[in-house]
Amino acid sequence: MSALQAATETVASHLHPTPSFDLADHPLPTGKEEVWRFTPLARLKPLLTGEFCDAFLDWQDNIPSTVIRGEITLAEAAELGVPAPMDRIAAMAVDKAKDAVLIDVPRGAEIAEPIVISLRGPGADATAFGQFVFKIGAHSSATIVLRHTGSVRYGASVSVLVGEEAKLNFVSLQDWTDDAVHAGQHSFRIGRGAQVKSVTASLGGSLIRLMETASFDGPGGELEQFGVYFVDAGQHVEHRLFVDHNQPNTASNVDYRGALQGKGAQAVWVGDVLIRKVAENISTYESNKNLVLTDGCRAESVPNLEIETGEIQGAGHSSTTGRFDDEQLFYLRSRGIPEAEARRLVVYGFFTDIIRRIGIAEIEERLMEALEKELEQVL
Amino acid sequence: MSTLEIKDLHVEVETESGPKQILKGVDLVVRSGEVHAIMGPNGSGKSTMAYSIAGHPKYTITQGSVKLDGVELTGLSVDERAKAGLFLAMQYPIEVPGVSVANFLRTAKTALDGEAPKVRTWVKDVNAALDRLGLDATFSSRSLNEGFSGGEKKRNEIVQLELLNPKFAILDETDSGLDIDALRIVSEGVNRYTSQGDRGVLLITHYTRILNYIKPDFVHVFVDGRVVAEGGPELAENLEVEGYDKFLKLAGV
Ligand SMILES: Nc1ncnc2c1ncn2[C@@H]1O[C@H](COP(=O)(O)OP(=O)(O)OP(=O)(O)O)[C@@H](O)[C@H]1O
Ligand SMILES: [Mg+2]
């Protein structure tokens, strides 16, 4: 395990447990731990214990011939610089999946068409783990969509290694049926001068819990991270973000928006940003907005900024959780728009603001369709 | 011929220390074809009157009535009041992220008319209205009021006035925050609206300057939640010179 240990850099932040490839370093959570306290652990049990995890997801893709698809061992993945698991499920995914699927966009390649990888779960009783490594070559550009449908209990480790000056648009779409359970870690390593836009859209599923991390391999990298989630009755949707500004002149902008409706709908958003001493001249902004559409929902929204240098361009965050804005409704209605229609417009606007920035027509349409369905239910 | 009749209007607002009375019996009649200017000191309740007529949920009408052609507005919802023919240009127009001006205008027009406007002429009408108010066509695809400058927001209110063409318009300090050119452009918009001959305007303002462009038929002095004096345009000139002192004393404030 020495190669793995070498690849594991300890995060100085107090916000996070020590990442490690070793499952033994991630004991079974009791639910009292800071990082687990919002999560209904019972639903996650098979993913935490790793029992009976013999299922597979059906895989479909349109990977072009210029992009290489292969399999690599854990040691090879660590060699490439895959970030270490931050929690037990990510560690379990690495442990159980053994080999990782490698998608390799060669240096300088310009892939115009979005690469869509569709993973379909076989059923709610199945348990599966998966490990993915996306290697985005220096100076390349690509759009990658990781789309999840069907149902399964799924633990995942997804690492995205973005080379120097590369441009990546990465979408993870959780479009599960309502009984799916999906947890794990999505990590970006962003090369010098690279530009990454990520979109995480969580629509279905009984429980979704994604740890999303980002760090930089050189100065000048830029990260734009957008999120959209619709949480219905009984659903738990949790996004835990950690942006590690470990290089100077880097920028991050995080904007996650969710709507909750129905009894027991629960959303958790944790947005941690660490600005290290070396990270001079960086800028960061993180925002989370929750629209609570009915009674009986709960939204936790926890932004954290940890700043070790004052030599920065800017750092800020905002978090709002609330019902409809009365002033907005009044304004629209004062022009003759009936209340239900005004509500629709406001929710629609709240999300299209983000959705229109995705830039992949197919995904935008799917999200608009899901949004329409969401609106039908509530209004 | 239409009439907007405000009678003995009493309005409260909920505060931390219980309800607070703001309007203490407002009487005012506006007929179509008339422009009424309302002037009064800060905090006297002008916006409260405008908002409560339009049905803002923050305000509670405790007494009195507001009738438009005999129809009691106070019993109607906000959008029903708009359908009855009322329009409020707000002192601080609200930002609605993600809802484009074009989408908003089309939705409002459809709601008011009960049918969607004809696609081809409507887009032209919208662009022409924007253009008349000195807003370029890109505004129609921007989020409603989001990132608009103060003056652009006010112009956008008048764009709406022209396109939705209500029977009665309450303009709450539409002239505040406008530069000299914008004041003229906005005034011309209001004058185009009134020149139809059968529209009524209630113009709330602090400045006589706009009254050089929009000629009021009546001027009302608003103090401490009620109208304390009425007159013609000369009353505005008077206020410009003497201020509200006399009226404050009269009202016992
Ligand atoms: N929630 C509230 N709590 C306490 N007072 C309130 C509240 N809302 C309004 N008021 C008071 O009501 C009064 C009337 O306000 P309004 O906005 O109607 O005044 P106005 O005449 O439009 O003033 P301006 O010329 O400054 O626009 C003010 O004194 C205001 O402070
Ligand atoms: Mg006012």
Side-chain angles (χ1 to χ4, degrees), chain B residues 14-15 20 22 42-48 58 91 173 206:
Chain B
E14 200 56 52
T15 73
K20 174 181 170 188
I22 311 281
N42 294 134
S44 56
K46 303 178 299 296
S47 292
T48 300
K58 192 174 128 186
Q91 187 173 354
E173 292 197 31
H206 285 297

Side-chain angles (χ1 to χ4, degrees), chain A residues 62-262:
Chain A
N62 64 345
I63 296 175
S65 54
T66 37
V67 174
I68 301 148
R69 178 185 157 185
E71 290 203 348
I72 53 172
T73 63
L74 179 52
E76 286 168 326
E79 199 76 24
L80 284 175
V82 164
M86 304 279 282
D87 67 26
R88 184 172 172 90
I89 292 179
M92 188 67 80
V94 168
D95 188 70
K96 294 291 180 191
K98 300 280 188 254
D99 287 348
V101 176
L102 172 72
I103 308 290
D104 191 345
V105 177
R107 183 186 178 88
E110 291 187 10
I111 316 291
E113 273 291 296
I115 298 171
V116 182
I117 297 169
S118 295
L119 302 174
R120 189 173 183 82
D125 295 334
T127 302
F129 287 97
Q131 192 185 184
F132 292 87
V133 178
F134 293 90
K135 192 165 166 284
I136 313 301
H139 300 278
S140 70
S141 69
T143 293
I144 295 172
V145 178
L146 195 56
R147 180 174 193 163
H148 307 88
T149 61
S151 188
V152 65
R153 291 185 290 248
Y154 179 50
S157 160
V158 175
S159 304
V160 187
L161 313 171
V162 186
E164 284 179 19
E165 305 287 338
K167 284 195 175 74
L168 174 69
N169 187 359
F170 188 90
V171 177
S172 180
L173 175 61
Q174 288 64 249
D175 201 359
W176 302 108
T177 57
D178 285 343
D179 48 6
V181 172
H182 178 187
Q185 178 172 334
H186 290 190
S187 295
F188 290 98
R189 282 185 69 159
I190 300 166
R192 181 176 57 78
Q195 292 172 17
V196 174
K197 177 162 83 176
S198 93
V199 178
T200 300
S202 299
L203 310 180
S206 156
L207 185 155
I208 292 173
R209 183 188 196 272
L210 294 177
M211 171 83 223
E212 304 182 71
T213 75
S215 62
F216 297 87
D217 288 332
E222 285 175 26
L223 171 68
E224 268 193 300
Q225 234 173 341
F226 298 118
V228 173
Y229 47 93
F230 304 143
V231 192
D232 293 339
Q235 269 189 305
H236 177 93
V237 174
E238 181 165 349
H239 297 103
R240 311 184 67 90
L241 281 73
F242 177 38
V243 180
D244 186 354
H245 278 281
N246 54 342
Q247 292 284 346
N249 298 311
T250 50
S252 66
N253 177 37
V254 172
D255 190 342
Y256 274 55
R257 298 187 192 185
L260 294 87
Q261 60 173 313

